[in-house]
Amino acid sequence: MKRMPWPRRRAARKILWPVLAAAALLAARPSALAGTAAPQPGTAAPQPLGRQPWVLTAGTHAPERALVSCVPAAGGAAEAAAGAVVLQADRSGVCASLVTFSYPSRMDLQVLGADIDGMPCHTNTWYVGCPVRLALGQQAVITTEVQAGPYARDTAQVVVRGVRVPATLSIEFRAEGRLRPSQPPAFVVPGVERSGGTWVEVHNAGPSGALRVEFSEKLPPPFLSAASEDPACRYDAPSRWLRCAWPRLDPGATLRAPIRFEARQSIPALQLGAELHVVSELGQSRSHGWMIISSGAVAGVQGFSPYPPSVYARLLDTVSLRMQPGIGLAGPAAARVGVPAQWQVRFSPGLRVLGVTPSAESSGMSCRCSDHSVTCAAPDFGSGAAEANATASIELDVSGVAAETAVLRWVSSYGEQEVAVDLPISPLPQQRGAGAGRS
């Protein structure tokens, strides 16, 4: 007999394999699927289909486990009426069927795979077919891996056939995600346009996509104003609210909008903070932004994380000394020639310095510290770029009980200035009760 050529034999195997696998499973003895597979650690126990909906988190994939039972030919009516998936035994006491799951054709829903007690089922994007053969009283677990899109919402209905009474399974989607607003420090020079340029960012840590994202920030003093070239943002001068709105934000993505702050009057050096708020259907979150108002060629600013700090917590103070462009001697030509500069932070007794680390771009800067102060010196500050900086991160131990103060003073050939920041101390959750002590 002439043998089939190898390419044709290989194609025939691909076609016959799913058919042979299903036939082998149906022909297997009932004991081959005796008992229910033990739940894997961290997974929910399988439930009779229809008793309760499957719940999927948008933007994730998860296994959903369903229980199928073999009941007597004259029994199982109550279970079927309650929505449980049951198979009816034949005269020999065997339940044999192809149990199918027909999912709705939605782009935000996809079947990744399925098995029955470890044996693979036939699947495609919106279909699962599992051959089942059980002895009377036996059960089997059908596990389906389902992917929900990041914007999957509402509910979906799955029709289950091949059982005594066709069942309808509900899938409910829930949205989970964490949004975080942020705003790098802004350096505002009174009377100088575009000096306070920065940007607003909102990041979605996922896994679900966020709908109807709204950012808001209120400018504390009345002499400040804000503007943005992004049509998503607008500033309301009477209320001093800056607001931005976007229809959606993908998981893992960041929205960014340029912002410009301006000051209408000349005032001494001042550091201000502003609350940043973001809200969407995923919930709400807040953060803190900082801005420095100074007419000097060199300006310094601090940023604290977390803010406000908690009692008995570690706090990070990021101090940055900046050369502001377009101001007197600090223009582009002067910025190419570095100058010696030094800054110092003095902390109140409730803030103890644990260490200081200059940033990688602050080359040549050296720092020293004591329990309540940090001093850093940059011998060639401002060399090479108009917005060169001298930045360091200071790690602090917080033991204050009401409020603490951090005073930043900087000195260079362009003059010296000083700003102070008051830090409200928030108690840790476990310390809000009476008698709580340091952990």
Side-chain angles (χ1 to χ4, degrees), residues 300-342:
V301 67
Q302 301 180 80
F304 299 90
S305 179
Y307 185 87
S310 298
V311 182
Y312 307 134
R314 298 292 175 90
L315 177 66
L316 198 65
D317 181 9
T318 302
V319 181
S320 182
L321 192 64
R322 295 290 185 96
M323 181 81 77
Q324 301 202 70
I327 308 172
L329 296 175
R336 289 193 289 270
V337 180
V339 298
Q342 177 177 294

Side-chain angles (χ1 to χ4, degrees), residues 202-227:
V202 179
H203 177 71
N204 181 8
S208 302
L211 296 172
R212 299 179 296 279
V213 180
E214 298 180 1
F215 168 88
S216 60
E217 172 184 1
K218 188 168 187 176
L219 303 190
F223 56 81
L224 272 179
S225 63

Side-chain angles (χ1 to χ4, degrees), residues 183-189 195-199 290-292 294-303 318-327 329-331 335 339 341-343 359 361-362 365 378 381-383 385-392 408-412 414-415 417:
Q183 179 180 288
F187 293 84
V188 183
V189 182
S195 63
T198 183
W199 57 85
W290 299 95
M291 59 189 73
I292 179 73
S294 172
S295 57
V298 177
V301 67
Q302 301 180 80
T318 302
V319 181
S320 182
L321 192 64
R322 295 290 185 96
M323 181 81 77
Q324 301 202 70
I327 308 172
L329 296 175
V339 298
Q342 177 177 294
W343 56 259
S359 64
E361 66 268 20
S362 304
M365 187 174 72
F381 174 69
S383 176
E387 294 185 352
N389 59 59
T391 302
L408 172 63
R409 180 176 182 267
W410 60 92
V411 180
S412 72
Y414 300 134
Q417 287 183 309

